[in-house]
Structure formats: C-alpha cells, structure tokens
Amino acid sequence: MTVDATETAADQASGPAKFGPDYGTLEAASYQPTDSYFGAAYIDIDEWRETPAPHRHVHGGFADTATRFTFYFPSPDAYQGRMYSPLEGAHGGHEDAFGGPMGAMIGGLDLTIRLGGYLAESNQGHAGDDVDPRAGDDPTIYGFRANNEAARFSRHVAAQVYGEAPHHSYVWGGSGGGRRSPLNLEYGADIWDGALPFMGGGDIDDHGTTKHVQGAQVMSFAAMFNVQRILRDKIADVVDATAAGGSGDPYVGLTTHEREELATLYRLGYPRGDEFMVGQPMGQIWLWTSMASELREVDADYFESFWTKPGYIGHDAPHLVADDILDFTGEVSRVITPRVFLENPDDFPDEKFAMMKLMVTLMAGAEGMDLPVAVEINGIDSGYRLGAGVQVKSGKAAGRQLYCLNSVGDVFQCDGVGEANLQRFTGVEVGDTVHVDNRPFLAFCYYYRHHLMDDPQFDFLRVDGVPIYQQHPVPLQSPLMGTPYSGKYEGKLLWIHHTHDASLWPPQGTVYREAVRRAQGEEGLQKRFRQRWSQNAEHIPVMFAPSDPKRATSTWLIDYMPLIEQGLVDLAAWCEQGVEPAGTNYSYADGKVSLPASAADRGGVQPVVTITANGSSRAEVKAGESVAITAVVDAPPAGGTITGLEWDFEGSGAFPKREELDGKSAHVDCSTTYSYDKPGTYFITARVTGHCEGDVSALYRQLSNVASARVVVT
C-alpha cells in the first residue's frame, strides 16, 4: 500500500490511529530531518500484518539517499512507551533483518513486544555491501547518521500511531551491530537514553572523528587462519588437551613453527577453551572475502614483499607455504544456488556439505535461493582452498573477483565486495574459465606480524617498543563499519561480551571501557558504563555452531540471547528508574580475560557452575562401574535464584535427566550417579539456569551456563 503523504499533523491531532486492518493514514510531509544530508522522509508501505506478531508495518526511506527503514508498531495494549532499534550484524544493509524467523532468533519483534516497545530498524544507510552512491565512503553515514535519522522519524510516526512519542529509546546490536550501536549513542543524544552493544570492538579516537575504523580482528583472523592451515587435523589434539579433564598442554606433538603460531593466536586473544572453532568453516572468513580486493590494492607492497623480500616468510622460509600454493586455471563444470544444494541431496550429501548448505541458506533467505553462490571447477589442483581468489576470466561475468568462503572437494562457495557480493556467480555458465589463486591469502596468513596496532594485545610483537618485523600501515575497515569510538556520550551503556567468542575475541571486549575512561574519567565510567561477560557463549547462536563429533555443541556452549534480553531489561531499569545494573568483575593479561571462580566475586547475573566426576575433572573407570557426579551451582547477588539443572551424560546434547528445583535458593548442590556399558571417552555436562526473579516457570530470561567433566571408560 502506498501512503498519501499530503495529510498534515493537524489531521492526526485527534489521537492515535486505529489498530487492526482498518486504521488512519500516516503523514510524513511535516517531518524535517535533523541531519541535512537526508532528504524528505517518505512512507511506501503501511499495512497491518499478523506475523511474526500482530503489528502495523511501516516501510519507507529518505529522498536522495539509500537509507531505508521498517517500523513495527504492536497494538497499544502491548506497548509501554519504548522504542528499540536493533542494528544488524556484519556490515548491515537490510531494513528487514529482524522482521522474519531469523530475526526472531536474534531479538526480533516478539522480544521487542516483551520489552514493551515498538521496533525501528534501518539498513544503516546502504543496501547490502554497497555504499550509498551519494555518500560514498563517508563512515559517519553508515556508522550512526542514517540509523539515527530513521529513529528520529520513527518517533514522529509513533506519535501518530500511539498519540505521543516514546518516553525512552534504546539502540542495541551484536557483532557489526555491537560495533556501531555505541556510535549511535555517542552522536544521538537527542534520541537515545541507552545502548546495549554485545560482541563489538574497534579503536578509539576523539569525538567527531570522520576516520574509518581500524579493527584488530583483521590481524587476529589472519593468525587464526594460519593456525587452521598449518595444524589441519592436529587441531583435534589441541581441542582434547584444553577440554575438561584434558592435559592442559595444547602444544604436545607440534613442530616449532606450529607451536609458535598457536602461541601467537593465544597472545592475540583467541578465547581459551574455544579451540574447536579454529578448525571449522565459520563466518570469520567473510572478513577476508569482504576486504581482500581492497587490501591487495592499498597494501600491494606487502603482498609483493611477502614473496620477494628478506624479513617475510614467503621469501625466507618458503617451505612453510609451498605445499599449499594453489594457482590453477580451469573451467566451471556446475553453477550452484542454495536451491540446487537443497534439491540435490545425493550430489551434496550432508556428511560432507552440511556446513556449506547451512551457511548458504542462512545467508540467502527466501529471496536469495536462486542466487548462484558456488561453482564446481573441473580438475582443480591440490592446494589450500580456503580464502583462495576465484576470478572469472571468460563469459558474461569476466573480470569479477570472488574469494572462497568454504570448499568441499572441487565445490567453491564464494563471496566478494560491492557488486561481487551482490552478484556472486550470476552470469557465469558451465564452460566459463576461472583462475584460482591463493597466494594473496597465504600472505595474509602472516599479515598480523607486519601490521601492529597500539592495542596491548600486540605488545608481544615489539621489543622496547620496536616492532620485530617490517611494518606496513594498519588497514582501515570498510566505511560500512563506521568510525572509531570516542567513549563520549550521554545516557547509559551496558556492554556485553562473550568469553568464547571466536569472531570478536575477548580483548575486543575491553576496548570500550578504556574509551569511556579516557573521555569521561572514573566518575563518568561509574555513572554511565557497565560491562558483563557471558561465560561459554560463542559469536553465533548455539544451534548454528558446528558440533564436535565427540560431543554436541550444546554441552559446551550456551544460548546467550536470554542474557541479552535480561541486559535490555536492566538497561531500561537503569535509565528509567535509576537501578544500577550489576557488572562482571574480570582481569585481563597476556591476551586473556579471566573471570573470578565464585559467583559472589564474579558478579553479573549469570549463574556459575562446577562439576566433578569421582571428585575430579577427570575420572577413569571400567565399563559398568558407577561414577559419582556432583554439580555445585551459585547465582551471583544480582542473579536471583537457580531455576534449573539438567544432566547430559554422554555428550549427545539431549540432557535426559532434570533435577526438580523450586527456584527458592541461590545455591544448589546436586549429586547423581551414572555408569557406562561401553568403553570410550565421555563428557558429563551440567547445564544450569538462573532467573533474576526466581521464576522457575518463566519462558524467557532463563540465564544459562554449563560445565563438564571427562570420564574415560576402559
């Protein structure tokens, strides 16, 4: 439905519009953008929708810009006067990310309604990975200005829908949304009362900077890709050593170079206990595919020097990369879409292609099922596939440069930047020629040595302040990631970071605290900033994380969304009632964030659990012999009481045994026994929940944690 934007505000003065399929017309003409970059606001869709929850659905944008928005207004009986603006992860670029099933998993309309608000989201000033043609590379547009103007206009519309604008407004988001949500607060004092970023990161500069952000993850991911490359199957031994009841020594059986690279990974901040993710085809490679062409252009000297000059591995120790070089020209034998993957299970069996199919379908959505995202290449040489450049050399798409996100055999799933991101293999036909070259990626694997930031995590690569290796300029991230943090803002900010985040590592969780301390001093830090750590949480929802063949992912990772929802509840209480949220105590040294062992010392709201088998983290028994298992659980002072305890004895993720708890105690000590009929190695896991109001029947905000012990059965 196209809305007539000629009606004036006076026509709406009689009160809020009627809800349901029959409602009054909204007007946009009287709205004057605060930011002069944005043209007149317009509404091109205004309709009632029943899904994902009943709401008035409003879509539009600003003239002369690429900025689009979607507002979701629930009925007045569900609305308590708040506005929530969630920011999409990665680069953003979509104004409907939170309105569908995937959005519900990461905090969509249902969550917003539970919080008493309406939902306002924008594409943050751009479509997909393309910049606004008019704004160009201006990171202020994508970092905060577009979303802030969309939020302002949502207040104008909300006043028509509900009779008045929201009394409080909150911006929040994870990953790329966590990177940008503090910027919205820093530069939107007229809009926002609070912000909740989780899994964010970046560098620090003065308020008002227009620089592109620098991100330590560019160098950190390079080190991770290198460990993945050189360890291959040895990663399994590292995982075993660092898991519950393991030896604790991840370096056993590694060569000198392998030890050095793994140690480097830890010093740069890779989360201890999450080593399994190093070897998985996860989304971190997206950073390389989204930046590779630009890095090769602006830092061409590095990519040439790596192979040709002393002081670089490619020149000084070529044997460390020689066996992995892939430089091949061949023909495309098949062009593959997400639909092709799903409709041809015999060609793409789950035992080989499960992760690739999951990645392409999640990224595609309903409208992208026929986008060519992968190709099969005839007779490709041996060599390392991940990160390899795939350039189309003939046919309609000749010249397009893509990079390998994931591969299985001769099938390459690829992505790129800008037009390549939007088109992928569109226009490519069977028989077209492609050139596959991974030499730039192999050089990138050692990129961390030659691009040092000022962050403490890089200090081990300096001696007396002097870098050990030849240096090149630290790369700038895409303008779509916004500007550096200043830490200067009004309102309140609750930062949440995960201990097991393999995409935004724990050191990134320490940056914004320092930004606030510099900008506002200790008094401002205490008054306006809090931080919480989510133990045993990964970057992605647990249901999308790959499982170790030895144990289900849910036995060592938690669902973090209840902690985010609790954080949003606590942020509102802080802003609206002055109730200060509990922060988590932690220490940081040598790239590692450490949490106190006890719930009382740790603080925050997440319960703390420990588990033993026969009194230890590791028990060795014979088949049929009973194992005595004990779990001790405590809620921190602000965490309410313990509401649930489930046991998983064999690593299946089924958690077949549940203790009956009444939710009246902040301390629970439970014991049970179990015996195994077959020899093998098993991980017994206790998964616990706590609720800040002690409600055992609550469907939401059940805050979880896990702990495991190893049982070796002979």
Side-chain angles (χ1 to χ4, degrees):
M1 161 178 185
T2 300
V3 174
D4 180 359
T6 61
E7 189 175 21
T8 66
D11 296 320
Q12 293 290 332
S14 58
K18 184 177 180 180
F19 267 78
D22 181 20
Y23 45 73
T25 302
L26 299 172
E27 70 83 24
S30 67
Y31 179 77
Q32 296 296 318
T34 299
D35 189 323
S36 61
Y37 174 79
F38 297 90
Y42 64 86
I43 296 172
D44 55 17
I45 298 175
D46 178 13
E47 61 189 24
W48 182 259
R49 295 187 180 181
E50 294 292 336
T51 58
H55 71 283
R56 186 169 182 173
H57 190 92
V58 178
H59 178 278
F62 294 97
D64 304 319
T65 75
T67 301
R68 305 290 181 266
F69 51 74
T70 305
F71 308 146
Y72 310 74
F73 297 106
S75 60
D77 59 352
Y79 178 63
Q80 299 174 24
R82 302 182 183 95
M83 183 259 282
Y84 287 92
S85 181
L87 302 187
E88 184 187 5
H91 283 161
H94 308 87
E95 70 271 24
D96 55 0
F98 291 86
M102 185 65 184
M105 298 180 187
I106 54 175
L109 183 57
D110 287 341
L111 168 63
T112 306
I113 292 173
R114 291 198 297 273
L115 297 171
Y118 72 84
L119 191 157
E121 64 172 322
S122 77
N123 66 357
Q124 298 169 64
H126 61 99
D129 271 3
D130 274 356
V131 298
D132 181 331
R134 181 171 155 233
D137 287 344
D138 184 348
T140 66
I141 295 291
Y142 318 115
F144 53 90
R145 289 167 63 188
N147 194 67
N148 280 355
E149 198 60 49
R152 291 187 186 100
F153 181 62
S154 84
R155 295 170 60 85
H156 174 84
V157 178
Q160 300 174 58
V161 172
Y162 297 117
E164 59 182 358
H167 57 73
H168 282 80
S169 299
Y170 304 98
V171 61
W172 66 284
S175 191
R179 147 105 280 277
R180 294 182 293 275
S181 50
L183 299 176
N184 281 240
L185 184 65
E186 291 179 3
Y187 296 97
D190 60 318
I191 315 164
W192 310 110
D193 297 281
L196 188 147
F198 62 102
M199 308 181 302
D203 59 339
I204 305 171
D205 207 335
D206 294 334
H207 192 79
T209 180
T210 59
K211 295 178 180 178
H212 292 207
V213 67
Q214 293 180 343
Q217 292 311 95
V218 178
M219 284 65 73
S220 298
F221 282 4
M224 182 178 68
F225 297 148
N226 205 28
V227 169
Q228 184 184 60
R229 177 185 70 88
I230 65 176
L231 261 60
R232 300 292 216 282
D233 293 341
K234 291 182 181 180
I235 292 176
D237 296 329
V238 174
V239 172
D240 184 77
T242 55
S247 70
D249 184 355
Y251 303 105
V252 173
L254 302 185
T255 67
T256 299
H257 187 60
E258 291 167 347
R259 289 168 182 254
E260 290 170 346
E261 293 304 298
L262 180 59
T264 290
L265 189 67
Y266 287 136
R267 292 190 185 107
L268 285 171
Y270 190 83
R272 281 66 159 175
D274 203 30
E275 288 82 359
F276 174 70
M277 292 298 181
V278 174
Q280 300 306 305
M282 300 296 290
Q284 295 93 336
I285 191 64
W286 165 84
L287 181 139
W288 165 248
T289 68
S290 70
M291 296 183 70
S293 291
E294 182 179 2
L295 290 179
R296 293 173 63 184
E297 179 179 348
V298 302
D299 204 1
D301 181 59
Y302 169 75
F303 287 95
E304 179 180 353
S305 298
F306 179 84
W307 301 98
T308 60
K309 295 182 180 179
Y312 299 84
I313 286 290
H315 177 274
D316 295 348
H319 63 281
L320 296 176
V321 292
D323 290 343
D324 286 335
I325 292 175
L326 179 59
D327 189 351
F328 176 82
T329 299
E331 292 184 353
V332 172
S333 58
R334 191 169 188 174
V335 181
I336 306 167
T337 67
R339 194 180 308 279
V340 170
F341 272 122
L342 297 179
E343 293 181 353
N344 296 273
D346 292 340
D347 292 349
F348 308 105
D350 283 346
E351 59 267 24
K352 292 183 178 180
F353 288 89
M355 182 54 63
M356 184 180 290
K357 288 194 284 189
L358 175 63
M359 289 175 67
V360 299
T361 52
L362 286 177
M363 295 169 66
E367 297 180 355
M369 291 300 292
D370 295 310
L371 176 69
V373 295
V375 292
E376 188 173 31
I377 303 172
N378 270 331
I380 192 165
D381 293 340
S382 61
Y384 197 70
R385 266 92 162 136
L386 186 69
V390 178
Q391 187 176 48
V392 184
K393 305 298 288 187
S394 69
K396 297 177 182 178
R400 188 177 304 154
Q401 178 68 63
L402 296 160
Y403 297 89
C404 179
L405 278 169
N406 192 7
S407 69
V408 178
D410 293 344
V411 175
F412 285 68
Q413 177 200 353
C414 296
D415 201 350
V417 66
E419 188 69 14
N421 164 259
L422 297 175
Q423 296 294 322
R424 309 292 175 88
F425 289 105
T426 298
V428 175
E429 299 178 354
V430 172
D432 284 351
T433 301
V434 293
H435 179 216
V436 183
D437 178 13
N438 74 347
R439 290 169 66 88
F441 181 76
L442 294 177
F444 182 67
C445 285
Y446 294 90
Y447 197 81
Y448 71 88
R449 297 185 176 195
H450 304 277
H451 301 80
L452 304 188
M453 293 178 65
D454 293 334
D455 293 11
Q457 69 191 79
F458 293 94
D459 285 348
F460 75 98
L461 291 167
R462 303 180 180 93
V463 176
D464 297 331
V466 179
I468 300 170
Y469 303 104
Q470 293 95 323
Q471 291 300 295
H472 296 259
V474 173
L476 301 177
Q477 290 200 13
S478 164
L480 304 179
M481 281 298 186
T483 61
Y485 297 133
S486 73
K488 182 179 179 180
Y489 59 86
E490 301 293 333
K492 314 291 187 184
L493 187 143
L494 175 59
W495 184 289
I496 298 179
H497 215 88
H498 304 332
T499 62
H500 281 55
D501 193 327
S503 292
L504 277 163
W505 302 354
Q508 291 296 294
T510 69
V511 173
Y512 201 76
R513 178 185 180 88
E514 176 62 16
V516 178
R517 189 191 65 78
R518 291 186 194 180
Q520 303 188 42
E522 293 296 333
E523 181 179 354
L525 185 69
Q526 176 62 29
K527 182 179 179 181
R528 298 188 181 93
F529 177 84
R530 288 293 185 281
Q531 181 160 11
R532 286 178 179 169
W533 288 91
S534 305
Q535 188 180 33
N536 298 316
E538 242 291 355
H539 194 78
I540 56 177
V542 64
M543 70 282 287
F544 298 133
S547 284
D548 186 328
K550 298 178 182 177
R551 57 191 300 202
T553 307
S554 59
T555 65
W556 55 283
L557 292 175
I558 65 163
D559 176 11
Y560 59 74
M561 279 309 299
L563 289 159
I564 304 304
E565 183 169 349
Q566 183 64 51
L568 289 167
V569 169
D570 293 344
L571 178 65
W574 192 15
C575 293
E576 298 171 24
Q577 304 169 33
V579 180
E580 296 189 12
T584 306
N585 297 312
Y586 70 97
S587 60
Y588 173 65
D590 200 21
K592 181 181 181 181
V593 166
S594 299
L595 305 180
S598 74
D601 292 337
R602 184 178 301 182
V605 293
Q606 186 183 24
V608 176
V609 55
T610 58
I611 181 175
T612 58
N614 287 349
S616 175
S617 63
R618 178 188 179 104
E620 298 189 8
V621 298
K622 295 180 179 179
E625 184 178 342
S626 181
V627 181
I629 312 160
T630 299
V632 178
V633 194
D634 289 285
T641 63
I642 305 304
T643 54
L645 194 160
E646 301 170 290
W647 300 99
D648 186 295
F649 302 105
E650 300 190 7
S652 67
F655 292 91
K657 179 178 173 61
R658 181 179 178 87
E659 302 290 344
E660 294 296 327
L661 303 180
D662 59 13
K664 295 182 179 180
S665 177
H667 173 83
V668 170
D669 192 330
C670 284
S671 296
T672 188
T673 60
Y674 195 79
S675 60
Y676 298 89
D677 296 332
K678 298 179 180 179
T681 297
Y682 302 88
F683 289 93
I684 299 173
T685 300
R687 182 168 66 186
V688 302
T689 55
H691 193 271
C692 290
E693 284 81 48
D695 187 350
V696 296
S697 62
L699 297 178
Y700 304 102
R701 293 189 284 128
Q702 294 285 359
L703 314 179
S704 63
N705 208 343
V706 291
S708 299
R710 182 187 307 227
V711 179
V712 180
V713 182
T714 59

